[in-house]
Amino acid sequence: MKIGFIGLGIMGKPMAKNLVKAGYELTVSDKFAAAAVEELVAMGAKSAKTNAEAAREADVLITMVPNSPQVKEALFGEDGAAETLKPGSIVLDCSSINPVASREICEELAKKGVEMMDAPVSGGEPKAIDATLAFMVGGKPEIFEKVKGILEKMGSSVVLCGDIGAGNVTKLCNQIVVAINIAGLAEAMTLGQQCGVAPEKIFEAIKGGLAGSTVMNAKAPMMMDQNFKPGFRINLHIKDLNNVVDAAAKYDSPIPLTQSVLEMMKILNRDGDAACDHSSLIKYYQKLTGEQLHH
Ligand code: NAD
């Protein structure tokens, strides 16, 4: 099976590497990340100058780009993949995008006889490297059966959540939980320190109890170290929460907690932290208290 892969950023590069290691024939393209393309070529992948070229021979085309406009550009823009995709081929969009856009893109591709599934991921760069991502998938069950094996080479959990768009709806749910968890952690650590207890001790004492979580284990040390190397960038999380706001408006769903954390992230974005990891939500509290979180 031949796979085209568009978008070799923080996530796409390790995911593509895992597919090459698994023995798939890959043709990769990225508009900007030339060094990542070279790394993949060194492992045995072919490079394509355009997205159209990456898609030409593909049975399955994977896209892993920032948001809906980039997915649409990669597929339908100049030298876009849709120009060359063959009927019967499958687009597997692993980007986290607006579910409404997933449905629109799927309809557009169907006109060319091309199938599509949305398959966003959770887990971040470390799990992309370890091939232990969690995939949330939307689309037809019979197409899911065809691509499941590919996803299992990049992740340890692959769940069909429903029809096209269901993967991205589930991803939005994931992003709400992660954002509010990080904000809650930042608020708690700040309170603890201001009340005179070392954040390190708070983390050590509560991580094994009900409050403990994967988010806490990953983000509390980053907050205490003031290490905000992404990981998952504030500007990408703002993108996801804006997609939550759009979806909530469309279905009249209440999102008071998401709105609060989105406001915090927007302040960080304004102050130059767009490219910091989302653990930098602690900086929002540091601005309010004038005090840095320490160990
Ligand atoms: P990234 O910005 O590091 O990588 C995106 C890549 O897409 C870049 O290399 C860029 O050059 C390329 N690109 C953009 N437009 C293109 C186009 N038209 N044609 C070809 N290449 C194009 O982003 P990332 O962190 O890898 O995230 C990718 C997606 O995965 C996003 O939707 C993000 O929300 C989601 N995601 C990220 C993480 C994470 O921890 N980073 C975790 C889960 C999900």
Side-chain angles (χ1 to χ4, degrees), residues 19-36:
L19 292 179
V20 175
K21 282 184 208 156
Y24 287 107
E25 263 183 72
L26 241 67
T27 304
V28 299
S29 78
D30 190 302
K31 240 177 154 178
F32 309 103

Side-chain angles (χ1 to χ4, degrees), residues 179-260:
I180 294 169
N181 251 286
I182 298 176
L185 175 64
E187 191 162 302
M189 295 293 232
T190 302
L191 175 87
Q193 177 165 297
Q194 294 223 294
C195 295
V197 180
E200 199 176 354
K201 287 295 162 197
I202 299 169
F203 176 48
E204 190 186 334
I206 71 176
K207 67 180 178 188
L210 188 59
S213 66
T214 309
V215 166
M216 182 181 284
N217 289 341
K219 304 302 173 185
M222 292 178 80
M223 289 180 186
M224 291 187 287
D225 292 343
Q226 299 286 304
N227 163 21
F228 303 122
K229 180 177 176 288
F232 192 68
R233 296 192 305 268
I234 284 285
N235 60 0
L236 282 180
H237 215 143
I238 289 177
K239 174 262 298 183
D240 289 335
L241 297 190
N242 279 329
N243 285 339
V244 171
V245 172
D246 283 353
K250 191 166 163 66
Y251 294 98
D252 201 18
S253 188
I255 48 163
L257 295 177
T258 301
Q259 293 281 19
S260 297

Side-chain angles (χ1 to χ4, degrees), residues 71-95:
V71 178
K72 287 181 178 171
E73 221 237 282
L75 294 172
F76 308 117
E78 203 186 330
D79 288 327
E83 282 177 19
T84 54
L85 277 167
K86 49 189 184 196
S89 61
I90 302 166
V91 170
L92 198 49
D93 180 32
C94 295
S95 327

Side-chain angles (χ1 to χ4, degrees), residues 140-197:
K140 297 177 190 159
E142 64 274 21
I143 305 298
F144 178 69
E145 286 311 316
K146 289 189 183 172
V147 298
K148 196 171 171 217
I150 298 173
L151 297 176
E152 282 170 346
K153 294 288 185 271
M154 300 183 283
S156 53
S157 160
V158 179
V159 178
L160 180 63
C161 300
D163 222 341
I164 184 75
N168 273 309
V169 170
T170 308
K171 175 66 185 180
L172 292 184
C173 298
N174 182 81
Q175 294 306 81
I176 292 174
V177 175
V178 171
I180 294 169
N181 251 286
I182 298 176
L185 175 64
E187 191 162 302
M189 295 293 232
T190 302
L191 175 87
Q193 177 165 297
Q194 294 223 294
C195 295
V197 180

